[in-house]
Amino acid sequence: MTTAASRESLVAGVRAGDRRSVAKTITLLESARADRAALGQAVLEDLVASAGSAVRVGITGSPGVGKSSFIEALGLHLVETRGERVAVLAVDPSSPVTGGSILGDKTRMERLSQAESAFIRPSPSGGSLGGVAARTREAMLVCEAAGFSVVLIETVGIGQSEVSVASMVDFFLVLLQPGAGDELQGIKKGVLELADGLVVHKADGEQRAAALRTRSEYAHALELLRPASPSWKVPVLAASARTGDGISGVWESVRAHREALSASGELDGRRREQARAWMWSLVDEGLRAAFRAHPAVSAAIPALEAEVEAQKSTPAAAARRLLGSFLEM
Ligand SMILES: Nc1nc2c(ncn2[C@@H]2O[C@H](COP(=O)(O)OP(=O)(O)OP(=O)(O)O)[C@@H](O)[C@H]2O)c(=O)[nH]1
Ligand SMILES: [Mg+2]
């Protein structure tokens, strides 16, 4: 097939909601081969006007808090009782190609992955957080063009990945463990400030009482934070993927948030600001790549790095020389 023909057939396939075309387009976008990635970008360009209509939800929490299980439970609820079409994506810059988290997600989301109206895609692997996040954003647009009405994005609760996921969603949900304070949970205050909702997860069996205590502790803690939006009070909920308790309540909060922020215009503002910031992060990424690929720069890097390490040159002087070679072009 010619490039033009495969571009057209992929665009048509995605528009028709065909999951194989969705997967193929995302694979092209993630490709390290320039010609494939360019075809993926061309397909995305044709699709972008029909993207944007999904409810975008990011889900974070420390490792083992039950993000994947929660997403499976929420996803099944949406598919089975609310008639939604659900796409699940992930941002995990730490996951190697055949890493445990992909394997884990496949088994944790076994039922959802078999549902007709669900699509699950593991995190793009390798590369910088910026690159991984950019690919996930693109995958989100492809899913939206394919008619998925809800996009759920799982992120590992470590490093900077929460910040980048928060910057691509409408609602950012933080899952908490029952019975542990922030320090024990490894939750940074900055992450709580990004949250549109908190859920104390695993609120079942013997842990239920502890979960409800944790819930009121966090509700108090949030009183002390300045609200990010004048039209939204961040709720602290309790839920269990195991029993299904509280799952539909989480979705009701997402809907209520959407109504409140749509009415005030904040939702549109948030999307606009995210689009602008994304453009700039792509510019940054492109400049960085062009810089490193520049022949004079890449030839000079090893020696200058060694000089800086050996304190024979200051970092500032070395940076000036590298930038000088780049800008001379
Ligand atoms: N009691 C209880 N255990 C749960 C619940 N949900 C998940 N678990 C258990 O918690 C463990 C971790 O679940 P995952 O869904 O893999 O958690 P995760 O946060 O996605 O983990 P990573 O992706 O590895 O960070 C598993 O042993 C689950 O069986 C729940 O609602 N209640
Ligand atoms: Mg997981």
Side-chain angles (χ1 to χ4, degrees):
M1 243 198 306
T2 65
T3 302
S6 48
R7 174 173 178 174
E8 262 174 43
S9 75
L10 280 173
V11 170
V14 170
R15 286 221 174 100
D18 168 43
R19 287 185 293 182
R20 282 191 53 204
S21 305
V22 173
K24 247 172 129 175
T25 304
I26 295 173
T27 302
L28 288 170
L29 287 162
E30 290 174 358
S31 176
R33 267 185 49 184
D35 57 335
R36 293 203 185 141
L39 175 58
Q41 290 294 338
V43 172
L44 183 60
E45 252 169 63
D46 292 347
L47 293 172
V48 78
S50 33
S53 53
V55 180
R56 303 168 174 176
V57 179
I59 292 148
T60 194
S62 49
V65 71
K67 298 175 292 296
S68 302
S69 313
F70 175 84
I71 288 172
E72 155 116 329
L74 177 62
L76 283 170
H77 170 72
L78 293 173
V79 163
E80 287 170 356
T81 67
R82 301 205 185 219
E84 305 282 358
R85 295 187 64 213
V86 177
V88 178
L89 307 172
V91 172
D92 181 358
S94 65
S95 90
V97 187
T98 53
S101 85
I102 294 169
L103 221 68
D105 285 350
K106 280 227 173 102
T107 52
R108 296 268 180 273
M109 301 188 199
E110 201 170 354
R111 280 183 60 210
L112 186 61
S113 65
Q114 284 162 15
E116 258 314 299
S117 39
F119 174 81
I120 299 178
R121 179 86 183 183
S123 174
S125 53
S128 62
L129 170 60
V132 170
R135 302 294 85 78
T136 300
R137 272 177 198 278
E138 289 163 355
M140 174 169 78
L141 299 182
V142 176
C143 291
E144 289 182 339
F148 287 96
S149 53
V150 174
V151 179
L152 304 176
I153 305 180
E154 175 173 348
T155 179
V156 285
I158 44 173
Q160 284 299 303
S161 53
E162 300 106 327
V163 179
S164 78
V165 170
S167 75
M168 63 178 91
V169 297
D170 304 325
F171 193 97
F172 189 61
L173 192 64
V174 177
L175 300 190
L176 303 164
Q177 303 271 12
D182 308 0
E183 297 79 20
L184 286 175
Q185 308 225 358
I187 305 258
K188 286 149 279 171
K189 188 150 173 288
V191 171
L192 288 184
E193 283 166 359
L194 295 170
D196 299 299
L198 301 181
V199 173
V200 184
H201 193 225
K202 305 189 184 179
D204 50 42
E206 288 179 351
Q207 299 191 94
R208 184 161 172 83
L212 298 181
R213 269 197 310 278
T214 307
R215 176 185 172 174
S216 51
E217 281 163 23
Y218 273 91
H220 283 303
L222 283 189
E223 303 280 338
L224 307 173
L225 285 182
R226 203 166 55 87
S229 158
S231 28
W232 183 245
K233 183 174 185 303
V234 175
V236 188
L237 307 166
S240 162
R242 189 160 289 172
T243 63
D245 282 347
I247 299 290
S248 70
V250 171
W251 193 248
E252 272 144 34
S253 275
V254 173
R255 302 288 336 169
H257 173 264
R258 204 164 185 80
E259 268 169 39
L261 272 73
S262 298
S264 68
E266 286 164 272
L267 192 65
D268 279 347
R270 184 162 169 168
R271 288 265 182 116
R272 278 199 303 273
E273 168 54 29
Q274 288 175 344
R276 189 175 52 226
W278 181 13
M279 179 190 82
W280 281 110
S281 80
L282 290 174
V283 169
D284 288 345
E285 204 194 322
L287 278 175
R288 191 176 282 271
F291 182 76
R292 288 189 173 267
H294 187 275
V297 172
S298 65
I301 285 175
L304 281 172
E305 274 185 345
E307 279 182 33
V308 169
E309 281 175 20
Q311 299 189 26
K312 286 184 181 142
S313 173
T314 65
R320 249 195 327 273
R321 273 161 66 192
L322 286 174
L323 288 167
S325 331
F326 182 63
L327 295 170
E328 253 164 36
M329 305 201 263

